[in-house]
Amino acid sequence: MKDTSTSVDRDKEGSSSGSGSHIWVMRRVMQVTMFLAGLAVLWMFLYNTASPFGIFPAFSHSINAQSSKQANYDPKLESVLRDASMKDKTVIITTLNDAWAEPGSMFDLFLESLQLGNGTQWLSNHLVVITWDQKTLARCLVVHKHCYQVETKGGNYTGEVFYMTPNYLHMMWRRTEFLGSILEMGYNFVFTDTDIMWLRDPFKQFYKDTDFQIACDSFNGNSSDLNNFPNGGFKYVQSNNRTIWFYKFWFDSRNFYPGLNEQDVLNNIKMHPLISKMKLKIRFLSTSYFGGFCQPAEDFNKVSTMHANCCVGIENKVNDLKILLEDWKKYMALSEIEKKESHPSWSVPQLCRTSFERAKERNLIN
């Protein structure tokens, strides 16, 4: 007679073992699933915090464009821009504080360059001077007709603002924010630092069908190469949804790079995938036309602007820019044949080079 109890017990053991194995597999599947879900959430969080606009660029784009249409702007600013603009709603903008507005200082040299330049005189009619204080506004209105005092939002920029100090950083970011609002108002602009001498009409050298074009401290020969190092002191920007978005993106990126100025932050974000996804067209301007003390425009027959960059201190800038304008006057006094046959060179920088090297030694600049 068979022992059926043993057979039954084995069947029960097999059934119990199979059930336990199934439960174990299900638990492992759930654990793996939860782990992968956690990784996905972590990745989304990191991606989101790595970008001022997170993982929804298209959404942020539409929100920004919508908010810009609803924003209210100072009627005085609207009036100044309207009076100064070209037919295509383009204005030239510079910013000015009390230290740079003193008679015989930077602002006078800037205006003088527009009068001495080759075909630049008409451009002063489209120049809007943004001042940081009431005293500078009053001085501006004595010598120029398109002046506007911007709200500083807590900053004090009346005296000389030294490079990379907290006041300097606040001023640079306030300027970036303000320029973004100009785009929202529908105006294209050429922004120029006041320590840039305008020697020829730059519009003839700007690229067509480009959203954002900017000068360089050092140009590598390829205007489309993002490895060029930009200089925020001179740029030509078209007003459209891409540039309005970009200026918001740029301004908000300051929170992710504390202690950096707008130029260094731009250098950090210029290759961000969101910028290429937004199809923002960026070009870098050649120093052969848009030169400076860092990398001079050597051909007097081509140069459009010269910037007192790679220079520290207003007195040094003023000294060397005066020498530069004397060089330019001598060139302009030549006949057309002499201009083509001669090969003049700049006498500068002198004090600027020394000041820059000393500042580098003291780790005040990179």
Side-chain angles (χ1 to χ4, degrees):
M1 184 176 178
K2 288 186 178 181
D3 188 352
T4 57
S5 63
T6 302
S7 177
V8 170
D9 288 342
R10 287 174 180 171
D11 289 343
K12 288 181 178 180
E13 288 175 5
S15 175
S16 175
S17 176
S19 176
S21 176
H22 179 70
I23 292 173
W24 180 85
V25 170
M26 291 297 294
R27 285 177 178 172
R28 291 294 294 173
V29 170
M30 291 179 64
Q31 288 174 349
V32 171
T33 302
M34 292 177 66
F35 175 75
L36 292 175
L39 281 180
V41 171
L42 178 62
W43 178 87
M44 291 174 68
F45 172 77
L46 291 174
Y47 189 94
N48 190 37
T49 55
S51 162
F53 288 102
I55 58 174
F56 303 111
F59 178 73
S60 65
H61 172 205
S62 63
I63 290 296
N64 293 338
Q66 201 172 38
S67 63
S68 67
K69 293 178 182 178
Q70 298 171 353
N72 294 319
Y73 302 106
D74 185 351
K76 291 182 180 179
L77 177 59
E78 290 267 17
S79 177
V80 170
L81 293 173
R82 183 173 57 251
D83 291 345
S85 69
M86 302 176 191
K87 292 180 179 180
D88 65 348
K89 296 193 71 175
T90 297
V91 292
I92 300 167
I93 296 177
T94 194
T95 52
L96 190 65
N97 69 352
D98 183 34
W100 284 40
E102 287 292 323
S105 188
M106 201 70 70
F107 187 45
D108 283 350
L109 289 175
F110 175 73
L111 294 178
E112 184 181 0
S113 77
L114 286 168
Q115 297 307 310
L116 294 174
N118 187 348
T120 56
Q121 294 75 19
W122 69 279
L123 294 169
S124 61
N125 296 324
H126 306 289
L127 172 67
V128 175
V129 180
I130 304 301
T131 69
W132 295 111
D133 57 87
Q134 184 64 39
K135 181 180 177 181
T136 308
L137 176 65
R139 159 69 178 154
C140 178
L141 289 170
V142 171
V143 295
H144 190 64
K145 58 183 176 180
H146 305 306
C147 306
Y148 175 79
Q149 182 181 346
V150 70
E151 180 186 356
T152 60
K153 296 188 175 181
N156 181 2
Y157 317 131
T158 53
E160 182 174 3
V161 180
F162 293 99
Y163 184 70
M164 293 308 290
T165 59
N167 216 28
Y168 172 88
L169 293 174
H170 190 281
M171 182 171 70
M172 292 298 100
W173 284 115
R174 178 65 186 108
R175 185 179 80 180
T176 303
E177 182 183 30
F178 177 78
L179 291 175
S181 71
I182 299 298
L183 296 174
E184 292 179 3
M185 295 171 71
Y187 289 90
N188 319 308
F189 65 77
V190 178
F191 175 80
T192 175
D193 277 344
T194 319
D195 62 346
I196 295 178
M197 302 295 100
W198 285 48
L199 307 176
R200 274 192 182 83
D201 181 353
F203 285 91
K204 297 177 181 179
Q205 302 302 330
F206 289 144
Y207 296 102
K208 305 295 184 184
D209 302 320
T210 300
D211 298 317
F212 179 89
Q213 40 198 307
I214 187 167
C216 303
D217 281 337
S218 179
F219 181 66
N220 67 13
N222 182 351
S223 66
S224 299
D225 187 356
L226 293 174
N227 289 306
N228 283 296
F229 195 90
N231 185 298
F234 189 88
K235 44 191 171 284
Y236 178 35
V237 189
Q238 294 288 318
S239 174
N240 56 45
N241 285 338
R242 292 182 298 276
T243 55
I244 291 170
W245 172 87
F246 172 66
Y247 260 77
K248 289 179 180 292
F249 179 81
W250 186 3
F251 181 72
D252 287 347
S253 293
R254 76 195 188 285
N255 298 318
F256 297 85
Y257 299 97
L260 295 187
N261 64 17
E262 91 297 353
Q263 181 173 297
D264 291 334
V265 170
L266 173 61
N267 205 42
N268 279 308
I269 67 171
K270 64 189 179 184
M271 296 185 184
H272 196 288
L274 283 184
I275 293 177
S276 59
K277 190 168 185 177
M278 292 299 294
K279 298 182 179 179
L280 182 78
K281 299 174 184 176
I282 301 176
R283 299 290 288 273
F284 295 90
L285 299 169
S286 171
T287 50
S288 295
Y289 300 98
F290 303 92
F293 293 163
C294 293
Q295 192 174 77
E298 296 179 352
D299 191 341
F300 278 49
N301 294 312
K302 291 183 179 180
V303 60
S304 289
T305 62
M306 279 287 286
H307 189 182
N309 52 8
C310 290
C311 185
V312 178
I314 186 172
E315 291 183 1
N316 297 323
K317 287 176 179 280
V318 168
N319 179 83
D320 283 10
L321 288 175
K322 284 181 178 179
I323 297 173
L324 182 145
L325 287 181
E326 288 302 316
D327 290 341
W328 183 253
K329 288 177 186 178
K330 293 175 184 177
Y331 165 79
M332 290 296 289
L334 298 174
S335 67
E336 292 303 315
I337 295 177
E338 289 174 322
K339 287 177 181 177
K340 293 178 181 178
E341 294 180 349
S342 64
H343 301 282
S345 59
W346 302 109
S347 304
V348 289
Q350 294 181 358
L351 296 180
C352 277
R353 180 179 289 117
T354 303
S355 71
F356 188 69
E357 292 302 323
R358 287 177 178 172
K360 287 177 71 175
E361 290 173 1
R362 290 154 52 197
N363 294 321
L364 295 179
I365 53 179
N366 294 326

